[in-house]
Amino acid sequence: MTPVAANTTAAATTTTAPLPAHVGNLTVKENDMLKQLWTRLFELFKQKGTEYVPSVVEEAPVKKGWFAKKEPVVTKDVFVGVGVDPQWMALPLEKALPLIPGAKLRGTFWNMIATDNPDAVCIRYLRARKWDLDAAFNMLANTLRWRLHMRIDDIVALGESGLRDELNKIQPALGDCLVSQLNSGKAYLGGPDKDGRGICFINVRNHNKDDQPGEIVKLMTMYIMETSRAVVHQPVESACIVFNLEDFTLKNMDFDFVKFLLTCFEAYYPETLGSCLIHKAPWVFSTVWTLITPLLDPVVATKIHFTKDWEELSKYVPKSALPGSITGEVGKKTMDEAKEVGPVAPGTLKKPTTPAYEAYQDKIKEYEAETLVWTKTTTAEGSNDTDARRELARQHRVARFKAELDIRGPTSYQAKGLLTINDEGRVLLNYGSDNWVPLDITESV
C-alpha cells in the first residue's frame, strides 16, 4: 500500500457530496429551520440573566455519641459545579434558562463550536430532534447550561496539567490521580476507521471503578471528548469508539461511567457518535449487556456492533489502524500509545489577550452579524447560499485555529503530534497509523 492510497478513505470523505440533512445539503424547509434556530439563539444571548454570587456554606457539626444517627456517605464533586449557580442545573430548563446571563451562554456556545462549522453543529441538534425546532432549541440550550455547570470551558483552558494543578489545590493528590488515569492505558486515540473517523480505543480491563473518584472519571471523559473534537473536519463529524473487552471481568464494570457516557452522546454531543464497536465481549458480559440495553437511545443502539476477532473488527477499522493488542502484532501500537512525552505546561483560566485571540473574537462578531442578516432572507427553491456560508465558516475556523493555542491548554496529544498547528496556522492531522500521511484539515468546513 502506498502512502497516497493510505489516505484514500480520508480523502474520499472530503470530496464526496454531503449527505442529505447535513451542512451543504439542506432542503428549503431545513434551511429555514436552521435560520429560525439561529434567530432564537441570538435572542437567548441578549438576555440579562441573574448575577450569581457564591455563598460560603458552613458544614453542619458532626453528631457524636452512641445514639447519633449514621448518615450515608455522599461523595461531593469538588470541581464540577463550583462557582456556578446550582439552580442552573437543578431547576427545569424553562425555569433555569432565564437565570443564566446571555453572555455566558454565548461564550460557552462558541467554545462548543470551537473549530467546527457553526451551521453543522446547529444542524446536528435539529437532526437529533427530527427537525422539531422547539425540541432542538431546548436540547441545545440544555447543552449550554450543562457545559457551564460541568465547567467544560475551564477544563479545555486548563489542559491536563492545569487541571491537575487546580485539583491538587482543592484536594491533595486528586489532580495526580487524574493524570495517572490519563496515562493508565485505559484510552488511546488513533484512526481512521473505514469512514475516515478518529477512533478512541478503550481498554476496559485497565479500569477499576474503585481506583478513582467518580468525578475523576467524568473529568477524564469530558477532557478526552473535548480534545478529540479538535480533529473534526467536514464532512467527518463523528467519532468511532472501540471497547476492547478482552480479559474483561465484573470488577471492570462501571455502570456510572456507562450511564454518563451514554448521556453525553445522547443529550450533549448529539450525532457525534459514528460507530461503537464492542470487541471480544466474554460470556459474563451478556449479563451486563441486559442491564445496559434499556439505557440505550434507539439511534445510538443502531451504531453498536459486536466483533469477536480482529478480522471482524477490520470490517469497520482497517488493520493498519488497529493496535497490536487487538491484532496480535507484537510491538505495534497507536502513535498515542507508543509515544511518551513529559508533562505538558499547564493552561490558565486567565482570559487571553493575544492579537490572534482578539482577531478570533472579531471573526465571531462578523459571523454573527452576517448570520443575522442571512436569517432574515427568504430561502427560495433552487437558491444556493452554501458557498457563502461555507466561506464564512472557513474564515471562522482559520481564525479559531490561529488562536487555538491561546484558548486551549497544552495537551499530550499535541505534544505527541496527533494534531499540529504550525506558525502559519495550518493544522495537520496525524493518526500515525501504518502508511498514514499527515492531512491538512485547516479549511475542511
Side-chain angles (χ1 to χ4, degrees):
M1 181 182 293
T2 65
V4 174
N7 278 11
T8 299
T9 300
T13 60
T14 60
T15 57
T16 55
L19 295 171
H22 285 66
V23 67
N25 191 4
L26 302 179
T27 65
V28 170
K29 183 177 180 180
E30 290 166 349
N31 207 41
D32 285 340
M33 200 80 72
L34 175 60
K35 291 179 180 179
Q36 293 177 61
L37 181 56
W38 272 113
T39 299
R40 293 184 66 167
L41 284 172
F42 289 146
E43 287 301 313
L44 179 65
F45 297 161
K46 290 178 184 177
Q47 72 179 27
K48 184 178 180 180
T50 304
E51 183 180 357
Y52 172 67
V53 179
S55 59
V56 179
V57 180
E58 295 184 4
E59 293 187 4
V62 179
K63 295 180 180 180
K64 297 182 179 180
W66 290 102
F67 302 104
K69 182 180 178 181
K70 291 186 177 180
E71 298 292 338
V73 178
V74 178
T75 303
K76 187 177 180 181
D77 290 341
V78 298
F79 181 88
V80 169
V82 173
V84 179
D85 190 338
Q87 295 184 96
W88 292 358
M89 280 304 290
L91 293 175
L93 180 65
E94 66 273 13
K95 293 183 178 180
L97 201 55
L99 301 177
I100 309 175
K104 288 188 177 294
L105 292 165
R106 175 181 179 270
T108 199
F109 170 80
W110 284 106
N111 284 332
M112 175 181 71
I113 299 296
T115 57
D116 206 344
N117 183 322
D119 279 347
V121 175
C122 292
I123 291 169
R124 286 201 287 270
Y125 282 88
L126 287 164
R127 281 205 312 270
R129 287 298 173 260
K130 297 180 171 53
W131 299 89
D132 180 319
L133 179 61
D134 289 338
F137 173 78
N138 288 337
M139 186 185 196
L140 181 45
N142 189 51
T143 296
L144 298 183
R145 71 162 174 169
W146 175 82
R147 287 180 62 89
L148 291 170
H149 175 77
M150 301 301 287
R151 300 179 63 186
I152 301 292
D153 301 336
D154 289 348
I155 293 171
V156 171
L158 288 168
E160 56 207 63
S161 294
L163 188 55
R164 174 204 63 202
D165 294 346
E166 286 293 315
L167 291 173
N168 280 343
K169 289 177 189 175
I170 299 169
Q171 185 175 313
L174 187 62
D176 297 328
C177 177
L178 171 70
V179 173
S180 69
Q181 291 304 307
L182 285 170
N183 297 329
S184 66
K186 289 182 183 181
Y188 288 114
L189 299 185
D193 72 358
K194 289 196 171 181
D195 288 308
R197 297 180 289 230
I199 305 170
C200 182
F201 294 97
I202 299 179
N203 297 315
V204 182
R205 63 173 174 263
N206 292 342
H207 180 71
N208 187 319
K209 182 179 179 180
D210 298 328
D211 286 348
Q212 65 286 305
E215 185 177 15
I216 291 296
V217 177
K218 290 180 182 179
L219 290 172
M220 178 178 174
T221 302
M222 292 183 292
Y223 175 73
I224 293 175
M225 290 184 75
E226 284 292 312
T227 303
S228 61
R229 292 301 300 165
V231 308
V232 167
H233 53 291
Q234 290 294 331
V236 181
E237 296 189 37
S238 57
C240 172
I241 299 180
V242 176
F243 285 95
N244 185 1
L245 295 187
E246 189 170 8
D247 300 328
F248 171 89
T249 66
L250 289 179
K251 74 175 183 179
N252 304 123
M253 188 58 211
D254 187 343
F255 279 107
D256 290 334
F257 164 70
V258 171
K259 287 187 286 187
F260 179 74
L261 185 64
L262 288 174
T263 300
C264 283
F265 278 119
E266 292 168 6
Y268 308 125
Y269 296 85
E271 301 280 305
T272 61
L273 177 63
S275 181
C276 179
L277 307 173
I278 300 178
H279 184 62
K280 277 196 172 181
W283 67 267
V284 69
F285 185 74
S286 60
T287 302
V288 174
W289 187 243
T290 60
L291 300 176
I292 295 176
T293 302
L295 304 175
L296 295 176
D297 176 89
V299 175
V300 171
T302 63
K303 300 175 181 179
I304 298 175
H305 309 281
F306 286 82
T307 61
K308 66 176 183 295
D309 52 40
W310 74 260
E311 285 90 350
E312 279 195 2
L313 186 56
S314 65
K315 295 177 183 177
Y316 308 97
V317 180
K319 187 180 180 183
S320 59
L322 293 173
S325 57
I326 290 178
T327 64
E329 297 168 276
V330 178
K332 184 186 177 187
K333 298 180 179 181
T334 66
M335 185 172 74
D336 182 20
E337 185 181 8
K339 280 196 174 183
E340 293 185 9
V341 295
V344 294
T348 177
L349 295 179
K350 293 180 180 179
K351 182 180 177 180
T353 57
T354 62
Y357 177 78
E358 295 302 330
Y360 168 59
Q361 294 303 312
D362 289 342
K363 188 56 65 176
I364 288 177
K365 292 175 184 176
E366 180 184 333
Y367 189 99
E368 289 179 327
E370 293 283 348
T371 299
L372 183 59
V373 172
W374 174 70
T375 61
K376 297 177 181 178
T377 62
T378 301
T379 304
E381 193 72 45
S383 65
N384 187 358
D385 52 19
T386 299
D387 290 343
R389 295 298 295 169
R390 180 173 283 120
E391 173 58 21
L392 199 59
R394 186 196 68 79
Q395 293 177 16
H396 165 269
R397 180 176 172 88
V398 170
R400 166 68 194 221
F401 270 132
K402 288 182 178 179
E404 182 74 355
L405 300 182
D406 301 320
I407 299 171
R408 188 184 298 274
T411 73
S412 58
Y413 304 114
Q414 294 169 341
K416 292 176 181 180
L418 180 66
L419 198 68
T420 304
I421 304 176
N422 64 23
D423 294 338
E424 288 74 40
R426 306 303 297 182
V427 183
L428 298 179
L429 172 61
N430 184 15
Y431 289 123
S433 51
D434 289 351
N435 297 318
W436 172 266
V437 178
L439 181 68
D440 188 329
I441 61 171
T442 312
E443 301 179 27
S444 300
V445 293

